[in-house]
Amino acid sequence: MALLAACDFSFLITQIAVGPFDGPRLGRVAQVEPAYRKNYGFDEQEVGSYIDGEDSTLFVVETQVGLPVGYAAVSHGWNDFAFVDDIAVDANHRGSGLARQLMDAAVAWGLRQGLPGIRLETQSNNVGACRFYESYGFELGGYDRHFYEALHPGTEEIALFWYFRFETKPGRY
C-alpha cells in the first residue's frame, strides 16, 4: 500500500461536462479557465479494506518491474451491481491501457459474482474519466446536482452515474 500511496493520482481539470444529461453519452463539454489540478488523496486504510473482503476486492496494476501504479476497489453494491468504488492510475502511466486492465478485472469479478453489471460514479469535471467510461461501453444512467453539497458547500460539481450492463454486451467477455 505504501507504494500506491506514493503515486500521483491527481488530474488536470480543463473541461467540465454541461447538462442536460438526458442520454446515454456525456454530451456537451465546456472549457475551464483557468485549468486546475484536483487530487482526492489516497487513504491506505480505506483502500486496504477491500483486500480479501467478503463482498469486495482490490485490483492493482504494476509496471513491468513490479511497481504498483494503479488500482480499482470494487464491491458488491446494495442494488446487486458491482460498484467500482474507486479507480485510479498514476498520472505518469495514463494512456497505457492500465485503466482498461483494471476495468477488465472488475468486469470479470462482477461476472464471477453473478451480478448483472457494474455501476460507478464520477464528477462532471472529470471529463477524461467520463470519456474512458464511454469508450469502454458504459452508459450514463443518471446524475445528481446536490450529491457533493454537504462535503463542499457551493460546489458546482455534478455526480454522474455510469452503468455497464453485462447482458447488453454479448460475447465481449
Side-chain angles (χ1 to χ4, degrees):
M1 283 301 151
L3 291 174
L4 273 174
C7 289
D8 176 8
F9 295 128
S10 69
F11 56 99
L12 190 63
I13 306 291
T14 60
Q15 297 178 315
I16 188 164
V18 179
F21 303 105
D22 58 359
R25 307 219 19 108
L26 188 59
R28 196 167 67 87
V29 297
Q31 294 301 120
V32 171
E33 294 291 333
Y36 63 96
R37 186 156 296 282
K38 185 155 186 171
N39 190 351
Y40 294 111
F42 179 82
D43 185 330
E44 286 184 59
Q45 189 172 20
E46 180 182 338
V47 172
S49 71
Y50 285 81
I51 299 172
D52 298 326
E54 184 177 319
D55 287 331
S56 65
T57 193
L58 181 70
F59 299 103
V60 177
V61 290
E62 300 176 341
T63 63
Q64 291 179 348
V65 295
L67 181 67
V69 293
Y71 70 96
V74 185
S75 64
H76 185 146
W78 62 269
N79 64 352
D80 271 347
F81 275 86
F83 284 6
V84 175
D85 296 305
D86 200 3
I87 183 170
V89 173
D90 181 82
N92 294 318
H93 294 87
R94 292 186 189 136
S96 60
L98 297 177
R100 185 164 294 277
Q101 288 178 27
L102 289 166
M103 198 60 75
D104 288 348
V107 167
W109 183 84
L111 286 166
R112 283 192 307 273
Q113 299 293 312
L115 305 177
I118 295 179
R119 182 194 72 99
L120 57 83
E121 172 270 325
T122 194
Q123 302 76 33
S124 55
N125 60 0
N126 197 347
V127 173
C130 292
R131 295 290 188 224
F132 166 69
Y133 302 139
E134 282 182 337
S135 73
Y136 195 89
F138 280 78
E139 292 183 357
L140 183 60
Y143 65 95
D144 187 334
R145 295 185 187 284
H146 305 287
F147 200 69
Y148 307 111
E149 283 180 356
L151 294 173
H152 307 286
T155 186
E156 295 183 13
E157 290 182 15
I158 299 170
L160 302 175
F161 299 93
W162 297 88
Y163 290 84
F164 184 89
R165 293 169 295 163
F166 299 147
E167 73 275 1
T168 63
K169 315 292 186 229
R172 182 167 178 170
Y173 297 95

